[in-house]
Amino acid sequence: MNNKTMVQEIGIKRCTHNPLLKTEDVTPSCENFVVKGIFNCGAAKYKDEYVLLCRVAEAVESKAEDEICFPIVEEKDHESFFRTITIKKSEHPQLCFDDARTITKGRDGNSSVVYLTTLSHLRLARSKDGIHFALDDKPTIMPNANEESWGMEDPRITQIGEVYYINYTAVSPNGAATALITTKDFEKFERKGILFLPENKDVAIFPEKVGEDYYAFNRPVPKGIGTPDIWLSKSPDMIHWGGHKHFYGVSEEGWENGRIGGGAPPVKTEKGWLKIYHAADRNNRYCLGAFLLDGKNPEKILAKSQQPLLEPEMDYEVNGFFGQVVFTCGCIYEAGNLKIYYGAADDSICMAEISLTDIYRHLGIR
Amino acid sequence: MNNKTMVQEIGIKRCTHNPLLKTEDVTPSCENFVVKGIFNCGAAKYKDEYVLLCRVAEAVESKAEDEICFPIVEEKDHESFFRTITIKKSEHPQLCFDDARTITKGRDGNSSVVYLTTLSHLRLARSKDGIHFALDDKPTIMPNANEESWGMEDPRITQIGEVYYINYTAVSPNGAATALITTKDFEKFERKGILFLPENKDVAIFPEKVGEDYYAFNRPVPKGIGTPDIWLSKSPDMIHWGGHKHFYGVSEEGWENGRIGGGAPPVKTEKGWLKIYHAADRNNRYCLGAFLLDGKNPEKILAKSQQPLLEPEMDYEVNGFFGQVVFTCGCIYEAGNLKIYYGAADDSICMAEISLTDIYRHLGIR
């Protein structure tokens, strides 16, 4: 039985219109910008529309072979603007340009990131059917020049009442932290600051309080001791977080032995909290899996994927800006069916659907 | 002008009884344990006594040259106990034993910590004069088998009203986080869980609310982007923390170019918050410095040490379990005079005194 057969058996169906959004659909933010990807997106229903808040990554085309150019964000008169940095490779023999996503110092694994090759911002797409999306033609949310000067990445949207909580990775030379923005209409956005200190990404906030508290999954990346594991944290007010508990760690071997992260905000089902998460192996091959958690106690795992729910197989998942990646930041659950929106190969936005019945079967529960 | 002259000019005076507490003063927790150090300690006044809550690090002497033994904490019937792990070096060629403090995997800088060579717990010392201390003869606070299974390190004590807030590094295979314990009498202790996710150490909590919030310095260590810098965070209740802001980073060159951390809980003076912190250069030489912060807005730096306030010079600071270290977790301010208790060379506990006038002079303010 090959992987493809297995995925078919799981009952997950990729949308025949995949990719739903791709680099060609994106109007660059500036004349000299090149769109490198539109991928990891938060998903929500707003009024009668599906909305995706998409990560758009842009670069600046370099004019000479020895040059690398990339944008950052600066500020003047309280207004953010893009600025281009140019580095002559030959003048910086200590820098490494091997990873498509980063420029690092030090080659032997003890490397530190000194620049990102692309700058990401957030851009809104709207749809009546959840498949055909119209994308804003400029940044919907522009990074600020402080904790976001290297970009805003991987947004998630959690709706609670009429407020949409948008958490995202705020990247700057000080690290990759998780910050929060709220909106009620996807037109006016309010910044709420940093929720989780660097290095912490892949935050997924629950869509309601459980008991007295808001809950969020998060994924710290410690430098010394520990691996990139999922933690579960609580908050009385969505701003201040505590009660941190280690939730689930990377495995010794297999598809989850590199890193594991929050994925999409959990969905409430009659059997408990359903959570689609991502895991990567040590070769940076990213797959999706599912957790089912106790409805009253999200620390308690009722079931978990033994094999990937979705793995990179299609050309648009295997090849791209950073290949071998399926990565979700948002699902929409309607009428027994889960739409999983996912970034493919850090390049395009795709969708796959699976019925709750099939997920339960995949999880070995009925 | 050599360094020693400079320190004398600063007006800081080491206690003539240094070290105040040393390994020989510590009764090992178990028969087969060897005390490797009593160092970084929180400091407070309780009733008419000075109390130090000390980090005691213990190892297990190995019986064969090829062996390395060390303790960890496990649990049975809700009771924590010490267990000894033995590793035959020759059977683990992938492990590195070069650092006295850790056993790591991978040699080229891309190393991860797989064990600590010592296990630390917290032990209380009491004194009438702040110089001569009587130390408990067994662990005052024993690590638990969960987030502290690799030990409790570097406690700080912040008194607010009649409650003493003890924060410390909780170390386990899941990382080095910061946890909180409260006490009113240094006899009954209440665990409050993890305040800051891994990797985050060097937390220093302010001794009162500033405006509406509690404040704490903390020092996340991101793996990818960023350096080990000081951040400032807020809390409404001492348990949930948010409003995180980057406070001060490592320097490009000089005595602060490796890492910088919270040091002792800040002290309120008539000119603002006085904070003794530590900084290390890339050779792991740890010094102490001072910040003066606006009394109503701790984010605002009024003055900062240009040169170390205290640096490793004495034999007990230069040589020890991990040499070239002066590291404070607690100061006591009385009658215009600051007693700085500090760990020397990860080995012993020392004290140095300086008048507020001399600190102001060192900071270039009057």
Side-chain angles (χ1 to χ4, degrees), chain A residues 10 16 30 48 61 70 78 80 87-88 96 99 107 128 135 142 159 182 193 198 239 250 292 333 347 356:
Chain A
I10 290 169
T16 53
C30 296
D48 63 340
E61 207 66 62
F70 50 88
H78 304 286
S80 294
I87 287 186
K88 274 196 197 302
C96 174
D99 189 315
R107 279 173 187 273
K128 295 286 183 200
L135 184 70
M142 171 82 183
Q159 182 185 358
T182 59
I239 301 296
V250 299
L292 187 72
Y333 177 61
D347 207 310
L356 207 52

Side-chain angles (χ1 to χ4, degrees), chain B residues 39-54:
Chain B
F39 47 119
N40 311 338
C41 62
K45 292 293 292 278
Y46 172 64
K47 293 186 175 169
D48 64 339
E49 290 188 319
Y50 295 80
V51 293
L52 301 181
L53 194 58
C54 312

Side-chain angles (χ1 to χ4, degrees), chain B residues 1-12 14 285 307-314:
Chain B
M1 184 172 65
N2 67 27
N3 283 337
K4 191 145 185 184
T5 316
M6 190 184 297
V7 170
Q8 284 168 347
E9 279 183 1
I10 290 168
I12 194 164
R14 287 175 175 82
R285 183 173 186 268
Q307 297 298 325
L309 187 67
L310 187 73
E311 55 189 318
E313 291 177 311
M314 307 298 283

Side-chain angles (χ1 to χ4, degrees), chain A residues 1-11 307-308 311 313:
Chain A
M1 185 173 65
N2 67 28
N3 283 338
K4 192 146 185 184
T5 315
M6 189 184 297
V7 170
Q8 282 167 351
E9 281 183 0
I10 290 169
Q307 296 298 326
E311 56 188 319
E313 292 176 310

Side-chain angles (χ1 to χ4, degrees), chain B residues 7 11-16 18 310 337 351-355 358:
Chain B
V7 170
I12 194 164
K13 291 176 196 71
R14 287 175 175 82
C15 181
T16 52
N18 277 352
L310 187 73
N337 202 55
M351 194 263 281
E353 287 189 278
I354 183 168
S355 71
D358 280 335

